[in-house]
Short mmCIF file of all heavy atoms in Angstrom, two decimals:
data_model
loop_
_atom_site.label_atom_id
_atom_site.label_comp_id
_atom_site.label_asym_id
_atom_site.label_seq_id
_atom_site.Cartn_x
_atom_site.Cartn_y
_atom_site.Cartn_z
N CYS O 223 7.56 -15.21 -25.35
CA CYS O 223 8.34 -16.36 -24.92
C CYS O 223 8.13 -16.62 -23.42
O CYS O 223 8.12 -15.69 -22.62
CB CYS O 223 9.81 -16.14 -25.22
SG CYS O 223 10.85 -17.57 -24.83
N GLU O 224 7.95 -17.89 -23.06
CA GLU O 224 7.72 -18.29 -21.67
C GLU O 224 8.76 -19.33 -21.25
O GLU O 224 9.16 -20.18 -22.05
CB GLU O 224 6.32 -18.90 -21.51
CG GLU O 224 5.17 -18.00 -21.88
CD GLU O 224 4.71 -17.11 -20.74
OE1 GLU O 224 5.31 -17.22 -19.65
OE2 GLU O 224 3.76 -16.35 -20.94
N PHE O 225 9.16 -19.26 -19.97
CA PHE O 225 9.95 -20.34 -19.39
C PHE O 225 8.99 -21.35 -18.80
O PHE O 225 8.24 -21.04 -17.87
CB PHE O 225 10.90 -19.80 -18.32
CG PHE O 225 11.64 -20.88 -17.58
CD1 PHE O 225 12.68 -21.55 -18.18
CD2 PHE O 225 11.28 -21.23 -16.27
CE1 PHE O 225 13.36 -22.57 -17.50
CE2 PHE O 225 11.95 -22.22 -15.59
CZ PHE O 225 13.00 -22.90 -16.21
N ILE O 226 9.00 -22.56 -19.34
CA ILE O 226 8.08 -23.61 -18.89
C ILE O 226 8.90 -24.62 -18.08
O ILE O 226 9.70 -25.38 -18.63
CB ILE O 226 7.39 -24.31 -20.08
CG1 ILE O 226 6.72 -23.28 -21.00
CG2 ILE O 226 6.38 -25.34 -19.58
CD1 ILE O 226 5.64 -22.45 -20.32
N PRO O 227 8.71 -24.64 -16.75
CA PRO O 227 9.55 -25.51 -15.92
C PRO O 227 9.22 -26.98 -16.09
O PRO O 227 8.09 -27.36 -16.44
CB PRO O 227 9.24 -25.04 -14.49
CG PRO O 227 7.89 -24.43 -14.58
CD PRO O 227 7.76 -23.84 -15.95
N GLU O 228 10.21 -27.81 -15.85
CA GLU O 228 10.00 -29.26 -15.79
C GLU O 228 9.17 -29.60 -14.55
O GLU O 228 9.38 -29.01 -13.48
CB GLU O 228 11.34 -29.98 -15.72
CG GLU O 228 12.25 -29.75 -16.92
CD GLU O 228 11.89 -30.63 -18.10
OE1 GLU O 228 10.99 -31.50 -17.94
OE2 GLU O 228 12.49 -30.45 -19.17
N LYS O 229 8.26 -30.53 -14.69
CA LYS O 229 7.44 -30.92 -13.55
C LYS O 229 8.30 -31.64 -12.50
O LYS O 229 8.12 -31.45 -11.30
CB LYS O 229 6.31 -31.84 -14.02
CG LYS O 229 5.28 -32.16 -12.96
CD LYS O 229 4.44 -30.94 -12.60
CE LYS O 229 3.33 -31.28 -11.63
NZ LYS O 229 2.60 -30.08 -11.15
N GLN O 230 9.23 -32.45 -12.96
CA GLN O 230 10.11 -33.18 -12.05
C GLN O 230 11.44 -32.44 -11.95
O GLN O 230 12.13 -32.26 -12.96
CB GLN O 230 10.33 -34.60 -12.57
CG GLN O 230 9.05 -35.42 -12.72
CD GLN O 230 8.29 -35.58 -11.42
OE1 GLN O 230 8.90 -35.76 -10.36
NE2 GLN O 230 6.98 -35.49 -11.48
N GLN O 231 11.77 -31.98 -10.76
CA GLN O 231 13.01 -31.22 -10.53
C GLN O 231 13.75 -31.83 -9.34
O GLN O 231 13.17 -32.57 -8.53
CB GLN O 231 12.68 -29.75 -10.19
CG GLN O 231 11.85 -29.02 -11.20
CD GLN O 231 12.67 -28.22 -12.19
OE1 GLN O 231 13.88 -28.09 -12.05
NE2 GLN O 231 12.01 -27.69 -13.19
N THR O 232 15.00 -31.46 -9.21
CA THR O 232 15.77 -31.81 -8.01
C THR O 232 16.18 -30.57 -7.23
O THR O 232 16.53 -30.67 -6.05
CB THR O 232 17.03 -32.60 -8.39
OG1 THR O 232 17.82 -31.82 -9.29
CG2 THR O 232 16.66 -33.93 -9.03
N GLU O 233 16.14 -29.39 -7.89
CA GLU O 233 16.56 -28.15 -7.24
C GLU O 233 15.57 -27.77 -6.13
O GLU O 233 14.35 -27.85 -6.31
CB GLU O 233 16.67 -27.02 -8.27
CG GLU O 233 17.02 -25.66 -7.70
CD GLU O 233 18.34 -25.66 -6.93
OE1 GLU O 233 19.24 -26.48 -7.24
OE2 GLU O 233 18.46 -24.84 -6.00
N GLU O 234 16.09 -27.31 -4.99
CA GLU O 234 15.25 -27.05 -3.82
C GLU O 234 14.93 -25.57 -3.60
O GLU O 234 14.19 -25.23 -2.67
CB GLU O 234 15.92 -27.63 -2.56
CG GLU O 234 16.05 -29.15 -2.62
CD GLU O 234 16.64 -29.73 -1.34
OE1 GLU O 234 17.28 -28.97 -0.58
OE2 GLU O 234 16.45 -30.94 -1.10
N ALA O 235 15.46 -24.66 -4.42
CA ALA O 235 15.20 -23.23 -4.25
C ALA O 235 14.77 -22.63 -5.59
O ALA O 235 15.22 -23.08 -6.64
CB ALA O 235 16.46 -22.53 -3.73
N SER O 236 13.81 -21.67 -5.51
CA SER O 236 13.50 -20.88 -4.34
C SER O 236 12.01 -20.66 -4.22
O SER O 236 11.29 -20.58 -5.22
CB SER O 236 14.20 -19.53 -4.44
OG SER O 236 13.72 -18.62 -3.49
N ILE O 237 11.56 -20.54 -2.97
CA ILE O 237 10.14 -20.33 -2.67
C ILE O 237 9.63 -19.02 -3.25
O ILE O 237 8.47 -18.93 -3.65
CB ILE O 237 9.92 -20.39 -1.14
CG1 ILE O 237 10.09 -21.83 -0.66
CG2 ILE O 237 8.56 -19.83 -0.74
CD1 ILE O 237 10.13 -21.98 0.84
N MET O 238 10.47 -18.01 -3.34
CA MET O 238 10.01 -16.71 -3.86
C MET O 238 10.05 -16.67 -5.39
O MET O 238 9.64 -15.69 -5.99
CB MET O 238 10.84 -15.58 -3.27
CG MET O 238 10.73 -15.47 -1.76
SD MET O 238 9.05 -15.57 -1.09
CE MET O 238 8.35 -14.02 -1.67
N PHE O 239 10.53 -17.75 -6.02
CA PHE O 239 10.40 -17.88 -7.47
C PHE O 239 9.18 -18.74 -7.80
O PHE O 239 8.22 -18.26 -8.38
CB PHE O 239 11.67 -18.48 -8.09
CG PHE O 239 11.51 -18.81 -9.56
CD1 PHE O 239 11.32 -17.80 -10.49
CD2 PHE O 239 11.52 -20.13 -9.99
CE1 PHE O 239 11.14 -18.10 -11.83
CE2 PHE O 239 11.35 -20.44 -11.33
CZ PHE O 239 11.16 -19.42 -12.26
N ALA O 240 9.22 -19.99 -7.43
CA ALA O 240 8.11 -20.88 -7.78
C ALA O 240 7.98 -21.97 -6.73
O ALA O 240 8.51 -23.07 -6.86
CB ALA O 240 8.32 -21.49 -9.17
N GLN O 241 7.26 -21.65 -5.65
CA GLN O 241 7.03 -22.62 -4.59
C GLN O 241 6.14 -23.76 -5.08
O GLN O 241 6.06 -24.81 -4.44
CB GLN O 241 6.42 -21.93 -3.37
CG GLN O 241 4.93 -21.71 -3.41
CD GLN O 241 4.45 -20.83 -4.54
OE1 GLN O 241 5.13 -19.86 -4.87
NE2 GLN O 241 3.31 -21.14 -5.13
N SER O 242 5.50 -23.58 -6.24
CA SER O 242 4.60 -24.61 -6.77
C SER O 242 5.35 -25.81 -7.32
O SER O 242 4.76 -26.87 -7.53
CB SER O 242 3.71 -24.00 -7.86
OG SER O 242 4.50 -23.34 -8.83
N ILE O 243 6.66 -25.67 -7.59
CA ILE O 243 7.47 -26.80 -8.02
C ILE O 243 7.68 -27.74 -6.83
O ILE O 243 8.11 -27.31 -5.76
CB ILE O 243 8.82 -26.32 -8.60
CG1 ILE O 243 8.59 -25.48 -9.86
CG2 ILE O 243 9.74 -27.49 -8.90
CD1 ILE O 243 9.83 -24.82 -10.40
N ASP O 244 7.38 -29.02 -7.02
CA ASP O 244 7.37 -29.97 -5.90
C ASP O 244 8.69 -30.00 -5.13
O ASP O 244 8.69 -30.12 -3.89
CB ASP O 244 7.06 -31.38 -6.42
CG ASP O 244 5.62 -31.51 -6.89
OD1 ASP O 244 4.80 -30.64 -6.52
OD2 ASP O 244 5.32 -32.46 -7.63
N SER O 245 9.81 -29.90 -5.82
CA SER O 245 11.11 -30.04 -5.16
C SER O 245 11.52 -28.80 -4.38
O SER O 245 12.45 -28.85 -3.56
CB SER O 245 12.20 -30.36 -6.19
OG SER O 245 12.36 -29.28 -7.09
N VAL O 246 10.85 -27.67 -4.61
CA VAL O 246 11.26 -26.40 -4.00
C VAL O 246 10.79 -26.35 -2.55
O VAL O 246 9.58 -26.34 -2.27
CB VAL O 246 10.73 -25.20 -4.80
CG1 VAL O 246 10.92 -23.90 -4.03
CG2 VAL O 246 11.43 -25.12 -6.16
N VAL O 247 11.75 -26.30 -1.64
CA VAL O 247 11.43 -26.28 -0.20
C VAL O 247 12.28 -25.26 0.55
O VAL O 247 12.25 -25.22 1.78
CB VAL O 247 11.64 -27.68 0.42
CG1 VAL O 247 10.62 -28.67 -0.11
CG2 VAL O 247 13.07 -28.19 0.17
N GLU O 248 13.02 -24.44 -0.17
CA GLU O 248 13.93 -23.49 0.49
C GLU O 248 13.82 -22.11 -0.16
O GLU O 248 13.32 -21.96 -1.28
CB GLU O 248 15.39 -23.96 0.35
CG GLU O 248 15.71 -25.27 1.01
CD GLU O 248 17.14 -25.71 0.75
OE1 GLU O 248 17.82 -25.04 -0.06
OE2 GLU O 248 17.57 -26.72 1.34
N PHE O 249 14.33 -21.13 0.58
CA PHE O 249 14.54 -19.80 0.02
C PHE O 249 15.94 -19.75 -0.61
O PHE O 249 16.83 -20.49 -0.20
CB PHE O 249 14.44 -18.73 1.12
CG PHE O 249 13.06 -18.60 1.71
CD1 PHE O 249 12.73 -19.25 2.89
CD2 PHE O 249 12.10 -17.83 1.08
CE1 PHE O 249 11.46 -19.15 3.43
CE2 PHE O 249 10.82 -17.71 1.62
CZ PHE O 249 10.50 -18.37 2.79
N CYS O 250 16.11 -18.89 -1.60
CA CYS O 250 17.43 -18.72 -2.19
C CYS O 250 18.39 -18.16 -1.15
O CYS O 250 18.02 -17.28 -0.35
CB CYS O 250 17.38 -17.79 -3.40
SG CYS O 250 17.42 -18.66 -4.98
N THR O 251 19.61 -18.65 -1.17
CA THR O 251 20.64 -18.19 -0.23
C THR O 251 21.71 -17.42 -0.97
O THR O 251 21.69 -17.31 -2.20
CB THR O 251 21.29 -19.39 0.48
OG1 THR O 251 21.99 -20.17 -0.50
CG2 THR O 251 20.25 -20.26 1.17
N GLU O 252 22.66 -16.92 -0.23
CA GLU O 252 23.76 -16.17 -0.83
C GLU O 252 24.52 -17.03 -1.83
O GLU O 252 25.05 -16.53 -2.82
CB GLU O 252 24.70 -15.69 0.28
CG GLU O 252 25.71 -14.66 -0.15
CD GLU O 252 26.48 -14.10 1.03
OE1 GLU O 252 26.27 -14.59 2.16
OE2 GLU O 252 27.27 -13.17 0.82
N GLN O 253 24.54 -18.34 -1.61
CA GLN O 253 25.32 -19.23 -2.47
C GLN O 253 24.62 -19.51 -3.81
O GLN O 253 25.27 -19.59 -4.84
CB GLN O 253 25.58 -20.56 -1.76
CG GLN O 253 26.63 -20.49 -0.66
CD GLN O 253 26.15 -19.71 0.56
OE1 GLN O 253 24.99 -19.84 0.95
NE2 GLN O 253 27.03 -18.90 1.13
N ASN O 254 23.28 -19.63 -3.81
CA ASN O 254 22.61 -20.00 -5.07
C ASN O 254 21.72 -18.90 -5.63
O ASN O 254 21.01 -19.12 -6.62
CB ASN O 254 21.80 -21.30 -4.89
CG ASN O 254 20.73 -21.16 -3.81
OD1 ASN O 254 20.41 -20.08 -3.36
ND2 ASN O 254 20.18 -22.31 -3.39
N HIS O 255 21.76 -17.72 -5.04
CA HIS O 255 20.93 -16.61 -5.51
C HIS O 255 21.41 -16.09 -6.86
O HIS O 255 22.61 -15.89 -7.07
CB HIS O 255 20.95 -15.47 -4.48
CG HIS O 255 20.16 -14.27 -4.90
ND1 HIS O 255 18.82 -14.33 -5.21
CD2 HIS O 255 20.53 -12.96 -5.06
CE1 HIS O 255 18.40 -13.12 -5.53
NE2 HIS O 255 19.41 -12.29 -5.46
N ASN O 256 20.47 -15.88 -7.77
CA ASN O 256 20.77 -15.34 -9.09
C ASN O 256 20.79 -13.81 -9.00
O ASN O 256 19.76 -13.16 -9.10
CB ASN O 256 19.73 -15.81 -10.11
CG ASN O 256 20.03 -15.31 -11.52
OD1 ASN O 256 21.01 -14.60 -11.75
ND2 ASN O 256 19.19 -15.70 -12.46
N LYS O 257 21.97 -13.24 -8.81
CA LYS O 257 22.11 -11.80 -8.57
C LYS O 257 21.92 -10.97 -9.83
O LYS O 257 21.71 -9.77 -9.75
CB LYS O 257 23.47 -11.51 -7.94
CG LYS O 257 23.69 -12.20 -6.60
CD LYS O 257 25.10 -11.99 -6.07
CE LYS O 257 25.29 -12.70 -4.73
NZ LYS O 257 25.17 -14.17 -4.84
N GLU O 258 22.03 -11.61 -11.00
CA GLU O 258 21.92 -10.85 -12.25
C GLU O 258 20.48 -10.69 -12.71
O GLU O 258 20.18 -9.81 -13.51
CB GLU O 258 22.72 -11.55 -13.35
CG GLU O 258 24.23 -11.47 -13.18
CD GLU O 258 24.94 -11.96 -14.42
OE1 GLU O 258 24.26 -12.47 -15.34
OE2 GLU O 258 26.17 -11.83 -14.50
N ALA O 259 19.58 -11.54 -12.25
CA ALA O 259 18.21 -11.54 -12.77
C ALA O 259 17.52 -10.20 -12.49
O ALA O 259 17.54 -9.71 -11.36
CB ALA O 259 17.41 -12.68 -12.15
#
Side-chain angles (χ1 to χ4, degrees):
C223 184
E224 301 274 359
F225 174 74
I226 307 300
E228 298 279 355
K229 188 70 175 173
Q230 301 300 321
Q231 304 265 353
T232 58
E233 177 58 28
E234 296 184 340
S236 167
I237 289 170
M238 299 314 291
F239 172 65
Q241 82 299 322
S242 52
I243 296 173
D244 290 343
S245 64
V246 169
V247 292
E248 297 176 354
F249 294 97
C250 258
T251 65
E252 193 172 5
Q253 286 70 40
N254 59 14
H255 178 57
N256 182 359
K257 300 175 180 64
E258 289 190 353

